[in-house]
Amino acid sequence: AQSVTQLGSHVSVSEGALVLLRCNYSSSVPPYLFWYVQYPNQGLQLLLKYTSAATLVKGINGFEAEFKKSETSFHLTKPSAHMSDAAEYFCAVKSRDDKIIFGKGTRLHILP
Amino acid sequence: DTGVSQNPRHKITKRGQNVTFRCDPISEHNRLYWYRQTLGQGPEFLTYFQNEAQLEKSRLLSDRFSAERPKGSFSTLEIQRTEQGDSAMYLCASSPPRQGATSEQFFGPGTRLTVL
């Protein structure tokens, strides 16, 4: 069965600093992986997705993620944090029967 | 706005009451999903429809929960005899006809249920 584990329920970075949100996956088949962002009292917005075409995936708002099979990881990064990046971020994997299985989320805090 | 819409956005009810939520998917999306998100957790799958057919129900969906999508367009999720443990954000998502395994799910803003 597929699953994802997000390391760190809260991450704080200074404005302008590198953002790194960690995600490890477990899957018996080549995974389809996603990162979603959720702003307060809103639904989920897709940041980016990995579909086996390229290991480095670029998303919206300057985010990107790299698929590393050897490490079973799909960490999310952004070179320079902005105050507007403060939100909750979810790593997710798509199951073979089309369900999306989410991690528990990482709340990103941006320090001025 | 052509995104997924959900109504109401917030619902406060007393324990034991019935509640019903509505989801309107993106036009021509044939798949519709319901998820539940409790505080501090990621969304968890509840059920999904392909057109009007309900194809799968999670074991999280107790007998008090029922979902319908009568004409293959909007969907309703009803909770009977609500319990405090039902308090959560209920998210709806829709996706277009499957294109490989990468069709994206588009999420609505959710309905936040508070059971007193």
Side-chain angles (χ1 to χ4, degrees):
Chain A
Q2 289 99 334
S3 66
V4 291
T5 301
Q6 291 184 243
L7 303 176
S9 57
H10 292 266
V11 169
S12 295
V13 302
S14 298
E15 190 174 17
L18 171 72
V19 175
L20 171 61
L21 304 182
R22 300 177 187 273
C23 173
N24 288 90
Y25 69 89
S26 173
S27 178
S28 56
V29 297
Y32 292 100
L33 296 161
F34 306 84
W35 275 99
Y36 284 87
V37 61
Q38 186 177 34
Y39 297 99
N41 297 315
Q42 294 189 25
L44 299 166
Q45 181 181 8
L46 181 68
L47 276 177
L48 49 80
K49 61 183 178 183
Y50 168 73
T51 59
S52 76
T55 56
L56 183 63
V57 182
K58 294 187 183 297
I60 61 172
N61 302 338
F63 284 93
E64 61 183 37
E66 186 172 9
F67 174 74
K68 291 187 177 180
K69 185 178 179 180
S70 61
E71 298 177 6
T72 62
S73 69
F74 189 57
H75 301 332
L76 181 71
T77 61
K78 181 174 180 177
S80 177
H82 192 273
M83 295 300 291
S84 61
D85 295 327
E88 186 130 27
Y89 292 80
F90 293 95
C91 181
V93 61
K94 197 169 198 180
S95 68
R96 276 187 284 187
D97 53 359
D98 251 6
K99 296 192 290 285
I100 293 183
I101 300 166
F102 290 88
K104 291 189 175 183
T106 297
R107 184 165 295 279
L108 177 63
H109 304 271
I110 309 297
L111 307 173
Chain B
D1 188 342
T2 57
V4 178
S5 62
Q6 293 186 246
N7 289 287
R9 293 291 308 276
H10 303 273
K11 179 69 177 179
I12 299 173
T13 190
K14 293 182 179 179
R15 189 178 54 182
Q17 298 295 304
N18 299 344
V19 294
T20 300
F21 311 140
R22 176 178 170 128
C23 170
D24 287 87
I26 294 172
S27 178
E28 298 179 357
H29 279 195
N30 66 334
R31 289 193 167 205
L32 186 148
Y33 305 79
W34 285 99
Y35 293 84
R36 181 172 68 186
Q37 184 179 17
T38 53
L39 204 60
Q41 301 293 319
E44 296 173 292
F45 170 81
L46 290 179
T47 188
Y48 86 98
F49 294 83
Q50 180 164 299
N51 300 312
E52 66 274 10
Q54 187 173 18
L55 296 188
E56 186 171 348
K57 293 168 59 174
S58 163
R59 62 180 182 275
L60 292 175
L61 216 63
S62 76
D63 291 345
R64 298 183 297 104
F65 287 70
S66 62
E68 295 182 342
R69 195 183 183 196
K71 297 181 180 179
S73 57
F74 72 91
S75 175
T76 57
L77 177 67
E78 181 183 15
I79 309 174
Q80 295 181 327
R81 305 181 303 282
T82 52
E83 301 173 356
Q84 288 184 324
D86 297 331
S87 296
M89 174 79 89
Y90 290 84
L91 294 164
C92 176
S94 69
S95 67
R98 188 170 182 171
Q99 297 168 352
T102 61
S103 52
E104 178 184 340
Q105 292 184 20
F106 295 80
F107 283 81
T111 295
R112 181 169 295 283
L113 172 66
T114 302
V115 181
L116 303 176

